[in-house]
Amino acid sequence: MKKWEMKWRKWLLVLFICCTFLYNGISAGAQEMEAAEAADTQVALGAKAACLIELHSGRVLYEYNADAPLPMASTTKVMTALLALERAQLSDPVTCGNAAYGVPGTSIYLGVGEVLTMEEMLQGLLLSSGNDAATAIAEHIGGSVQSFADLMNVRALELGATNTNFANPHGLPNSDHYTSARDLARIACEAMKLPDFRRIVSTQRASIPWEGREYNRQLRNKNRLLGDYPGATGIKTGYTRAAGRCLVFGAQRGELEIVGVVLGCPSWFDVAKELMDAAFTAFSQVTLLNAGESVRYIPVSGGLFNGVEAVLRAPISAPLRQDESPVLEIDLPAALAAPVQAGQPIGSIRLMADGLVLDERPLYPSRDVPNLTFWNQLLRVLRRWCLLAR
């Protein structure tokens, strides 16, 4: 194929993906066209499945075949690391047992009885994709690989990953080991909320001890996006012959942060770049109200004060397309009865677009309102009298 033809096809693909993000069908005929375009996009991408999610809102920005159960190779290790960080300390000593020694596939060459900290094991897991590190972590947390796999499946269901089943902590082929692009993106979003996970998966190189040697293990992150894509945040590569090339990836520009997944995708890094470029072009993070802003005044009966402001404690924002008109829906009582505690939510506010709830936050009273007693009512009268007497 001539070079000019390759460049032409690449730019056509980028343009087409952008159109897929921006297009919003309004008729049956338009919906049929969308379906045809999605199929064409899949052929162009060469991926078996794909999904892009905005990290904080969970909004799906792009998807293709996102719920199909597929093998995911070493991207499995995102869940392994999530459980490790939730259930252990980074300083915990982790021992390589007989089951971890010599596990097939990628390895950091642990010796039987070798001890590393949990942080060092996680570096070996996420940077060098060590299957031996994955097994050592699994046995440390769950007692056995099978028990750890059971914990993985429980956590997956808690995150709404209903098209997922884990049979091991590393991703080596197993007919009972699979996920979907949407499920894996959800799992990765949860992991990316942990500062230690974010730090490790964004590290390009690390050095950890190597028992019995005078030099350390040198670990290199296999994720090329960290050096090639502006704002890249990680996350994890994976490959087996059965699964093909699988990639969990992420990037942040401004307030918009994306987590994406492609499964069975030969051009994994190039496709990830094109999908993220299209998402950053089509969407922007919009904040409608900031933390501390008042939404409405609520009267209070029987209290020391006559009312309170309903306020936000966190901003309400979401990724929006340029053609979307956001709507705020407020759910608050018409009035409150004392006592009112500032720490107890009194309602909620939702950010909506195209009928979807993109963000929802609780609303809190701006201050405590104690009951109006005889004594504080008398004190109020005396204060007013003093003011008038001046």
Side-chain angles (χ1 to χ4, degrees), residues 70-117:
L70 293 166
M72 64 291 207
S74 284
T75 58
T76 297
K77 292 163 183 165
V78 174
M79 176 60 94
T80 302
L82 173 62
L83 277 181
L85 288 167
E86 289 179 338
R87 291 173 171 265
Q89 301 297 316
L90 291 177
S91 59
D92 287 353
V94 181
T95 303
C96 173
N98 291 323
Y101 175 73
V103 176
T106 52
S107 174
I108 60 170
Y109 305 104
L110 293 168
V112 176
E114 184 174 0
V115 179
L116 295 174
T117 66

Side-chain angles (χ1 to χ4, degrees), residues 233-380:
T233 53
I235 299 176
K236 187 70 188 75
T237 62
Y239 172 79
T240 63
R241 184 174 298 179
R245 289 178 173 176
C246 302
L247 181 64
V248 183
F249 53 92
Q252 182 172 10
R253 292 184 185 173
E255 295 182 354
L256 184 61
E257 184 167 1
I258 293 171
V259 170
V261 172
V262 288
L263 299 176
C265 183
S267 302
W268 46 357
F269 294 118
D270 290 338
V271 168
K273 291 177 185 178
E274 290 158 2
L275 287 172
M276 289 192 290
D277 282 345
F280 284 124
T281 299
F283 291 88
S284 59
Q285 191 76 9
V286 177
T287 298
L288 273 70
L289 293 170
N290 291 306
E293 287 198 57
S294 172
V295 172
R296 186 180 295 168
Y297 178 83
I298 308 292
V300 177
S301 62
L304 182 60
F305 308 109
N306 294 327
V308 292
E309 299 287 340
V311 298
L312 281 159
R313 292 192 173 181
I316 186 158
S317 64
L320 297 172
R321 294 192 305 269
Q322 293 179 0
D323 62 340
E324 287 184 313
S325 299
V327 175
L328 289 176
E329 290 188 354
I330 300 171
D331 184 12
L332 281 169
L336 296 170
V340 174
Q341 295 180 336
Q344 295 295 320
I346 55 174
S348 63
I349 183 169
R350 292 178 293 277
L351 192 161
M352 309 278 294
D354 290 342
L356 298 174
V357 178
L358 302 182
D359 197 14
E360 185 170 6
R361 301 288 179 184
L363 294 169
Y364 294 88
S366 54
R367 59 182 175 180
D368 290 334
V369 182
N371 285 320
L372 181 60
T373 64
F374 169 80
W375 293 109
N376 55 39
Q377 189 171 12
L378 177 61
L379 182 61
R380 178 189 291 180

Side-chain angles (χ1 to χ4, degrees), residues 373-390:
T373 64
F374 169 80
W375 293 109
N376 55 39
Q377 189 171 12
L378 177 61
L379 182 61
R380 178 189 291 180
V381 172
L382 290 173
R383 282 176 177 172
R384 289 179 180 176
W385 181 82
C386 290
L387 287 173
L388 291 172
R390 286 181 180 179

